């Protein structure tokens, strides 16, 4: 038998009796007043409360200087200009339109087809085509085929 002696932990405080804060034990290092269980701690964290700190919201919001606002506006303006410059060129079918245009036409015509890829992108393209009045009649058969202009007005 070895000389190791197992030390017994101090007894738990009885139910209903507050833990004495001056006597700090290893088993109860904090008072029960600020104790939060896991769910309450998660709820407090989602509201921005830090554990053990005062119950105030963290500072938030957007604080930009006037120069930063001007720079942001200029950046958005340049980005829009780069993306919208010559948007109508080329006026023929390009590579992706051969595939996605066919899918959009089939969705609009409610024709059955099989595709191994997820349909979200094709459905979004179909939604945009539907909103702008595309009726599914253009065939999108070959790259470089000229796209005639569509009448975007709905027939009365």
């Amino acid at each position: 038998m070895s000389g190791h002696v197992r030390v017994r932990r101090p007894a738990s405080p009885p139910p209903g009796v507050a833990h004495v804060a001056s006597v700090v034990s290893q088993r109860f290092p904090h008072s029960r007043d600020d104790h939060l269980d896991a769910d309450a701690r998660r709820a407090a964290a989602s509201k921005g409360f830090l554990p053990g700190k005062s119950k105030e919201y963290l500072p938030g919001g957007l604080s930009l200087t006037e120069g930063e606002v001007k720079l942001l506006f200029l950046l958005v303006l340049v980005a829009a200009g780069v993306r919208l410059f010559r948007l109508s060129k080329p006026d023929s079918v390009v590579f992706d339109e051969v595939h996605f245009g066919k899918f959009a036409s089939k969705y609009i015509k409610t024709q059955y087809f099989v595709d191994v890829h997820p349909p979200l992108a094709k459905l979004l393209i179909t939604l945009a085509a539907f909103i702008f009045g595309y009726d599914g009649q253009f065939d999108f058969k070959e790259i470089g085929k000229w796209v005639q202009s569509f009448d975007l007005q709905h027939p009365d």
Side-chain angles (χ1 to χ4, degrees), residues 49-89:
F49 296 136
L50 295 174
K53 303 291 181 187
S54 65
K55 305 292 186 198
E56 296 179 11
Y57 287 104
L58 295 174
L62 190 63
S63 58
L64 297 176
T65 63
E66 184 179 340
E68 290 171 333
V69 170
K70 289 178 182 177
L71 181 65
L72 180 63
F73 181 74
L74 178 68
L75 185 65
V76 168
L77 192 66
V78 168
V82 166
R83 284 165 178 80
L84 298 175
F85 182 69
R86 294 188 181 178
L87 186 62
S88 63
K89 302 294 182 201

Side-chain angles (χ1 to χ4, degrees), residues 13-117:
V17 176
H19 182 68
V20 180
S22 62
V23 178
V24 178
S25 69
Q26 281 185 327
R27 189 165 184 194
F28 300 105
H30 303 291
S31 66
R32 291 183 175 194
D33 296 336
D34 64 344
H35 173 73
L36 295 175
D37 64 352
D39 293 330
R41 201 173 316 136
R42 187 178 308 115
S46 70
K47 293 178 183 173
F49 296 136
L50 295 174
K53 303 291 181 187
S54 65
K55 305 292 186 198
E56 296 179 11
Y57 287 104
L58 295 174
L62 190 63
S63 58
L64 297 176
T65 63
E66 184 179 340
E68 290 171 333
V69 170
K70 289 178 182 177
L71 181 65
L72 180 63
F73 181 74
L74 178 68
L75 185 65
V76 168
L77 192 66
V78 168
V82 166
R83 284 165 178 80
L84 298 175
F85 182 69
R86 294 188 181 178
L87 186 62
S88 63
K89 302 294 182 201
D91 57 356
S92 60
V93 176
V94 294
F95 176 73
D96 284 348
E97 292 174 347
V98 170
H99 303 290
F100 287 103
K102 285 179 187 177
F103 289 124
S105 294
K106 289 179 182 180
Y107 274 124
I108 287 176
K109 293 178 189 177
T110 64
Q111 292 178 346
Y112 178 78
F113 65 93
V114 176
D115 185 24
V116 296
H117 299 289

